[in-house]
Each structure stands twice: as C-alpha cells, then as structure tokens.
Amino acid sequence: MAERTKGPRNQQKWRMAAWMFYLIGVPFWVLIFISEHNWIAAAVETSGVPSILMGYIIVRRGNGTLGLCRGLNHLAQCMIATGLFLSLYDFGGLITLNQVMEIGIASGFLFGTYFLAKSKSAGYIWLSVGNICAALLMMRQEYYVLMGQQIISILLVSDAYRIHNRRN
C-alpha cells in the first residue's frame, strides 16, 4: 500500500504501519520456528528487530537519513553477520535441506528489512528470497495455510518492487 499510495504523508503512514506489522509478526514466526526446531530461522528472525526499528524511526522522522539511527544501523549489521555466522557454526555448516531453507529465510528477512529500512529496492528481492524459502519450508512441514500466506507475501512484495522501481 505504501508504494501505491499517492502523497508523501499517506506513504509515510502506510510505511509506519508496515514496519509495525513486521515488528508484531516477529514473535509469532519465532514461536512457529521454535516449535518445529527451526533454530536458525528463529534466532536470526529475531536479529531483524534492529532493522525494523531503524526503518520505523527513519520513516517516522520523514527525512530518509540515518541520523540518530546510526547505532541501530551498526547493531543491525552486527546482528546480520553474527546471526548467520553462528547459525552455520552451530550446525557445523549446512547439512540438511531444512537448514538451507532456514538460512534463506534468515538472509532474506535480515537483508530485506535492512535494505528496505534504507529505502533500497534490493530489499524487495531479498524479502522474496526469504518468502520463497519460508513457503518451501512450511510446505515440507505441512503448514499449508502458512505456505499460502508466504505465496501471497511473494506476490505483494513483487508488486511493491515493480512499483518502487517504476517510481524511481
């Protein structure tokens, strides 16, 4: 909706709402991942919170710059690197297909939220990677409703990417 809305004030409202929905959704996804012992996805999904907060603050201030968010920016970068490194270290590399999908979810979510917080269109591509991996993992674990939700998310993210690039 933020990409389709006209006028900076309306776009700002929709972007703030989107960041809040991201933040609200994190605990629920983490609980689902933990219940299925998808530890990589659960731990790294949590690591996206600094990027989400950074995105919300930047949009709320309305000037698109990091400013006081520099600390969150550095924390987000550290969380991305640490989360992915610890995931690979903990499991001794990638040894199962589920782990590969979990790394895809984590990378897509972390890089996606980070780049979108900085208003870069690459964030949409990374989110799509995460959504595709999440849909495949949910299908393998027979959570078909959640798989469907991820497919809808892929379509919405793709639409936002297309509109964002056309506008810029």
Side-chain angles (χ1 to χ4, degrees):
M1 290 302 297
E3 294 297 344
R4 289 191 171 277
T5 302
K6 293 189 186 331
R9 187 72 182 140
N10 287 333
Q11 286 179 350
Q12 181 185 29
K13 287 179 186 177
W14 278 107
R15 288 188 198 292
M16 286 173 45
W19 285 116
M20 287 310 299
F21 280 113
Y22 258 137
L23 190 59
I24 291 167
V26 168
F28 297 105
W29 277 102
V30 169
L31 287 173
I32 290 167
F33 290 140
I34 288 173
S35 73
E36 289 293 328
H37 303 283
N38 298 325
W39 304 109
I40 294 171
V44 183
E45 186 88 4
T46 305
S47 300
V49 172
S51 292
I52 294 170
L53 292 173
M54 183 174 65
Y56 180 82
I57 292 168
I58 289 171
V59 170
R60 179 157 185 183
R61 284 196 335 232
N63 61 9
T65 61
L66 288 177
L68 296 175
C69 290
R70 290 192 201 295
L72 278 175
N73 184 48
H74 295 304
L75 180 60
Q77 290 171 347
C78 289
M79 295 292 279
I80 290 169
T82 303
L84 293 175
F85 173 77
L86 289 176
S87 297
L88 292 170
Y89 176 79
D90 186 44
F91 285 96
L94 296 175
I95 55 177
T96 69
L97 183 57
N98 281 10
Q99 286 175 278
V100 172
M101 286 185 259
E102 288 181 56
I103 289 291
I105 293 167
S107 299
F109 178 71
L110 290 173
F111 287 116
T113 55
Y114 181 75
F115 286 130
L116 284 179
K118 294 180 153 206
S119 297
K120 297 190 185 291
S121 64
Y124 293 114
I125 295 170
W126 279 103
L127 283 180
S128 293
V129 168
N131 290 136
I132 290 166
C133 291
L136 291 171
L137 184 62
M138 294 299 104
M139 181 182 71
R140 282 181 53 89
Q141 295 175 341
E142 299 180 2
Y143 286 109
Y144 299 114
V145 172
L146 293 175
M147 179 191 76
Q149 183 264 333
Q150 291 300 312
I151 292 169
I152 291 168
S153 291
I154 293 165
L155 296 173
L156 292 171
V157 168
S158 298
D159 183 56
Y161 174 77
R162 185 177 51 79
I163 293 168
H164 179 85
N165 282 342
R166 189 182 319 149
R167 187 178 283 164
N168 295 327

